[in-house]
Amino acid sequence: MTKKGITVLSGGLDSTVATSIYAEEYDLTALTFNYGQQSFDQEVKHAKLLCEKLGMHHAVIDLPWLEHISTSSLTSDEKIPEPSDDDLDDYDAALETAKSVWVPARNTVFCSIALAYAESIHAEIIIVGWDYEEAVTFPDNSKDYLDAFNKTIKYGSFDNIEIKAPLIDMNKEDIVSKGQEVNAPMELSYSCYTGNEKHCGVCESCKRRRRAFIKVNIDDPTEYEK
């Protein structure tokens, strides 16, 4: 019997590469969350393309209440930050951007729902795209958070389920290199915060994505507006 897994799939670069690492070994169900983010339409479009490419089941989870309590620039009319290239490696500047796009307890909510799905279909793993670079300013991307949530699962579930974060020690350049190594369909991924059809090229997510491809000298399949 093929082992089952759940993947938290935004359609972004990180979740695409993380998912691809396990796609051949597991029968995967991908969960894409709608919490009112500006990029949702593009996220779900690209997640569906990824699921078709990798042969995965797909479910969209609507979380309107999370949108209503969030003051994030991702879910409101507040301007999404456009950091400079230097800001990407400036901790204080990057932290301000992180606070602007922060959605309350997002990964905690996502992983709790993913755990419920995993139990319901007897899945063994939950895949997430958390990485070292984003963990610098996003606490719910860190290895400590991963370890804590896996400990919570041991106390809070009858099943032996583990959250797998294969990129947890990687920066964006490592992730792009790993994506090429595992033949991840990175050309189908979407990372932009704005929700435009083409990547804006100026939000932090776009800038980190573009810089990574340049640094590892791998052709970037992304179309940028700027």
Side-chain angles (χ1 to χ4, degrees):
M1 181 180 295
T2 304
K3 297 180 291 185
K4 294 181 179 181
I6 298 291
T7 180
V8 178
L9 185 70
S10 68
L13 176 66
D14 302 338
S15 62
T16 296
V17 174
T19 299
S20 298
I21 291 170
Y22 295 97
E24 292 187 5
E25 185 180 355
Y26 288 84
D27 176 15
L28 296 178
T29 296
L31 305 183
T32 303
F33 293 92
N34 178 12
Y35 52 94
Q37 69 272 37
Q38 295 181 35
S39 57
F40 172 71
D41 287 344
Q42 290 299 325
E43 286 184 17
V44 75
K45 171 185 173 181
H46 286 263
K48 286 179 178 178
L49 291 172
L50 289 162
C51 287
E52 291 172 5
K53 179 72 174 181
L54 298 175
M56 301 185 296
H57 313 287
H58 188 226
V60 177
I61 312 298
D62 293 321
L63 301 173
W65 60 269
L66 187 54
E67 175 187 2
H68 294 154
I69 66 171
S70 173
T71 58
S72 170
S73 58
L74 300 185
T75 60
S76 68
D77 294 330
E78 181 183 336
K79 182 177 174 58
I80 292 173
E82 298 178 1
S84 68
D85 292 342
D86 291 340
D87 287 341
L88 299 182
D89 296 314
D90 181 308
Y91 174 75
D92 291 332
L95 183 60
E96 285 304 307
T97 297
K99 288 180 178 179
S100 173
V101 301
W102 177 260
V103 177
R106 179 172 58 182
N107 281 348
T108 303
V109 172
F110 289 1
C111 286
S112 296
I113 293 172
L115 175 59
Y117 262 78
E119 287 191 9
S120 71
I121 66 170
H122 305 293
E124 298 179 13
I125 63 169
I126 297 166
I127 304 163
V128 294
W130 307 340
D131 64 80
Y132 177 81
E133 185 167 324
E134 294 192 359
V136 172
T137 50
F138 291 95
D140 59 357
N141 274 249
S142 70
K143 185 176 288 187
D144 285 344
Y145 180 82
L146 172 66
D147 292 342
F149 209 105
N150 272 323
K151 184 176 290 186
T152 297
I153 293 174
K154 289 182 179 180
Y155 285 110
S157 173
F158 284 116
D159 298 342
N160 185 24
I161 299 168
E162 182 181 3
I163 297 180
K164 296 283 191 178
L167 316 180
I168 199 72
D169 292 316
M170 299 185 189
N171 59 28
K172 293 293 183 184
E173 298 97 277
D174 299 327
I175 292 167
V176 170
S177 296
K178 186 67 174 181
Q180 185 177 61
E181 177 189 329
V182 300
N183 199 30
M186 294 185 286
E187 72 281 0
L188 298 180
S189 65
Y190 182 87
S191 301
C192 187
Y193 286 153
T194 67
N196 298 335
E197 187 167 345
K198 293 181 181 179
H199 286 66
C200 72
V202 294
C203 71
E204 181 178 6
S205 186
C206 281
K207 281 181 170 286
R208 291 189 184 277
R209 178 188 178 107
R210 175 151 50 185
R211 183 176 72 169
F213 278 99
I214 292 171
K215 282 191 171 183
V216 296
N217 197 29
I218 292 175
D219 288 340
D220 187 352
T222 316
E223 287 190 82
Y224 299 98
E225 291 183 347
K226 297 180 182 179

